């Protein structure tokens, strides 16, 4: 599929055929393709100054950082800008290890945190992992209400984390990282109450708690601005990317002044992270999300979509599960509902059928 143009929720191929983008540019386009407010902000900044770095002062970087920090709870007030979610998670892992003085990181099976040499270790999906050293990473059971060994029993999964730290490590860890909603792993919402128990356990073991909001942030869940708020916790470090820039190469790490202080041991620097153009675009994204009430929109449209999908589930045995909230939704296809056997071939066919059934007659 050769995509050549995008307008809000629609994409166009080289033949002019229009597609409804239900994937949001890999969960990235939070405001719509080529949103006029964001395009204008990027164009205006590009005319003035395309590039400088965070070692120099520039008002666009400061304004964006302040606006982003205002969206965070607790003492999450220090912002570092990077270029992607992978870079954000790399920096978060570095911070956790430096601050705690421990190397071991705990991550979830089925989680995805990036494809760099460091974050590939955190990632818990075989299809994305190359055979290289993982580097002091412990993968614990996935608190998946649909496929997990303990169903929705958050306490049982949390006990497994505690046991793993007690028996599979020195008893001290650097940190724990988890997506609130596992995106690449199939839009899996963690068992309710899981993070509250695990965060407590990890902090007692000397570690810091990292929330990966790369896919679930910026109101996508509808019920909350950040995915971790659905679990009623405040992390020590939050990573974000994708929806933060609506397609611009932009990511961020937000943490507390105490944790950030460890970075002063050396020079923390990123050539392109927080450049003026991306900062201007990122600030425009935050303004659009608020002005157009995108979080409420996600809640409204998501509720309608879930209702219709669950109606289809009643009619079609192949739909094993419908899950998520807001516009962070997943549909899992199975050949056997009891065994939950993945319907791989059927899913591939459905993808092609959906791609082909996008008529020109859709209303603009």
């Amino acid at each position: 599929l050769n995509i050549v143009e995008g307008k809000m929720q629609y994409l166009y191929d080289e033949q002019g055929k229009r597609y409804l983008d239900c994937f949001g540019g890999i969960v990235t386009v939070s405001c719509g393709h080529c949103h006029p407010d964001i395009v204008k902000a990027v164009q205006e900044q590009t005319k003035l100054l395309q590039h400088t770095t965070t070692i120099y002062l520039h008002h666009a970087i400061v304004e964006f950082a302040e606006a982003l920090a205002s969206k965070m709870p607790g003492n999450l007030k220090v912002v570092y800008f990077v270029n992607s979610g992978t870079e954000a998670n790399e920096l978060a892992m570095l911070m956790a290890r430096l601050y705690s003085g421990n190397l071991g990181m705990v991550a979830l099976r089925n989680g995805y945190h990036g494809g760099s040499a460091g974050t590939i270790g955190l990632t818990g999906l075989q299809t994305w992992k190359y055979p290289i050293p993982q580097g002091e990473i412990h993968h614990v059971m996935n608190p998946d209400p649909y496929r997990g060994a303990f169903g929705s029993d958050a306490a049982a999964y949390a006990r497994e984390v505690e046991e793993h730290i007690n028996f599979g490590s020195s008893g001290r860890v650097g940190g724990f990282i988890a997506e609130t909603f596992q995106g690449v792993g199939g839009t899996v919402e963690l068992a309710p109450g899981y993070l509250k128990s695990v965060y407590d356990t990890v902090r007692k073991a000397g570690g810091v708690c990292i929330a990966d909001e790369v896919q679930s942030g910026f109101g996508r869940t509808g019920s909350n601005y950040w995915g971790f708020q659905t679990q009623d916790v405040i992390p020590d470090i939050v990573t974000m990317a994708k929806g933060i820039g609506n397609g611009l190469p932009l990511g961020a790490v937000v943490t507390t002044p105490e944790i950030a202080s460890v970075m002063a041991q050396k020079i923390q620097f990123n050539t392109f992270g927080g450049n003026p153009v991306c900062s201007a675009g990122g600030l425009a994204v935050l303004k659009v999300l608020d002005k157009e009430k995108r979080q409420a929109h996600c809640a409204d449209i998501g509720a309608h979509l879930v209702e219709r999908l669950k109606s289809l589930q009643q009619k079609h045995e192949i739909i094993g599960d419908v899950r998520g909230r807001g516009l962070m939704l997943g549909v899992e296809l199975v050949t056997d509902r009891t065994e939950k056997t993945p319907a791989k071939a059927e899913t591939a066919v459905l993808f092609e059928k959906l791609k082909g059934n996008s008529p020109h007659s859709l209303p603009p």
Side-chain angles (χ1 to χ4, degrees):
L1 189 62
N2 182 21
I3 298 298
V4 298
E5 187 178 3
K7 292 180 181 177
M8 297 306 287
Q9 69 268 45
Y10 296 115
L11 292 170
Y12 300 81
D13 66 17
E14 76 278 14
Q15 304 297 326
K17 187 175 183 181
R18 187 171 68 188
Y19 301 85
L20 177 63
D21 185 8
C22 289
F23 200 24
I26 314 182
V27 206
T28 297
V29 181
S30 52
C31 301
H33 292 279
C34 301
H35 190 289
D37 290 9
I38 300 166
V39 169
K40 181 181 178 182
V42 169
Q43 287 176 331
E44 289 181 352
Q45 182 56 54
T46 301
K47 293 175 185 176
L48 291 171
L49 179 66
Q50 278 190 304
H51 179 71
T52 181
T53 72
T54 50
I55 64 172
Y56 302 112
L57 181 65
H58 191 277
H59 69 89
I61 302 171
V62 176
E63 288 172 7
F64 181 32
E66 289 178 341
L68 191 57
S70 73
K71 298 291 187 182
M72 307 303 298
N75 202 29
L76 293 165
K77 297 301 178 188
V78 182
V79 181
Y80 293 83
F81 290 119
V82 292
N83 304 295
S84 68
T86 292
E87 283 191 20
N89 286 329
E90 282 278 4
L91 181 55
M93 182 162 53
L94 175 63
M95 286 179 176
R97 285 171 163 167
L98 289 174
Y99 182 76
S100 67
N102 304 313
L103 287 179
M105 296 293 297
V106 181
L108 296 180
R109 300 172 193 169
N110 205 55
Y112 180 84
H113 301 289
S116 64
T119 58
I120 209 171
L122 296 174
T123 293
L125 290 160
Q126 182 192 40
T127 49
W128 298 86
K129 294 173 77 72
Y130 290 93
I132 61 173
Q134 291 206 145
E136 295 291 338
I137 308 294
H138 304 266
H139 286 98
V140 293
M141 290 178 67
N142 186 33
D144 180 350
Y146 181 62
R147 288 189 173 275
F150 302 128
S152 295
D153 188 349
Y157 293 113
R159 282 194 299 272
E160 192 267 339
V161 175
E162 185 174 16
E163 289 178 359
H164 192 98
I165 291 174
N166 288 338
F167 301 110
S169 78
S170 67
R172 306 291 289 175
V173 295
F176 169 83
I177 186 169
E179 305 157 276
T180 318
F181 285 74
Q182 292 181 330
V184 174
T187 318
V188 177
E189 183 173 5
L190 310 184
Y194 173 77
L195 287 185
K196 187 176 280 287
S197 296
V198 172
Y199 276 19
D200 184 52
T201 295
V202 170
R203 285 166 177 156
K204 286 177 180 176
V208 302
C209 301
I210 305 168
D212 182 329
E213 292 286 339
V214 171
Q215 293 197 27
S216 55
F218 301 96
R220 190 178 297 279
T221 65
S223 60
N224 299 89
Y225 200 83
W226 303 109
F228 62 78
Q229 291 170 322
T230 67
Q231 293 261 332
D232 192 28
V233 293
I234 298 180
D236 302 303
I237 303 174
V238 181
T239 61
M240 58 198 75
K242 292 190 182 289
I244 193 175
N246 202 53
L248 292 165
L250 182 61
V253 178
V254 185
T255 190
T256 64
E258 292 77 18
I259 293 175
S261 66
V262 300
M263 302 308 296
Q265 298 174 31
K266 303 285 183 179
I267 297 175
Q268 204 290 317
F269 171 70
N270 190 303
T271 301
F272 297 107
N275 73 79
V277 174
C278 285
S279 294
L283 181 58
V285 166
L286 294 182
K287 290 178 178 178
V288 168
L289 292 174
D290 287 344
K291 182 179 75 172
E292 299 184 358
K293 297 180 171 61
R294 288 304 180 98
Q295 183 180 326
H297 178 77
C298 285
D300 293 342
I301 301 301
H304 171 72
L305 191 52
V306 165
E307 180 184 346
R308 296 300 299 272
L309 288 169
K310 288 192 172 180
S311 176
L312 287 174
Q313 186 181 18
Q314 299 301 314
K315 300 175 184 177
H316 304 284
E317 285 288 317
I318 195 171
I319 301 178
D321 194 30
V322 174
R323 55 179 176 256
R325 62 173 80 193
L327 288 179
M328 187 87 187
L329 301 176
V331 178
E332 185 156 347
L333 304 186
V334 296
T335 56
D336 186 305
R337 281 190 177 181
T338 303
E339 296 296 326
K340 300 177 183 177
T341 310
K344 296 181 180 180
E346 292 83 354
T347 300
V349 171
L350 182 61
F351 277 0
E352 289 303 311
K353 285 185 175 292
L354 287 171
K355 188 174 68 176
N357 294 336
S358 184
H360 289 277
S361 57
L362 284 172

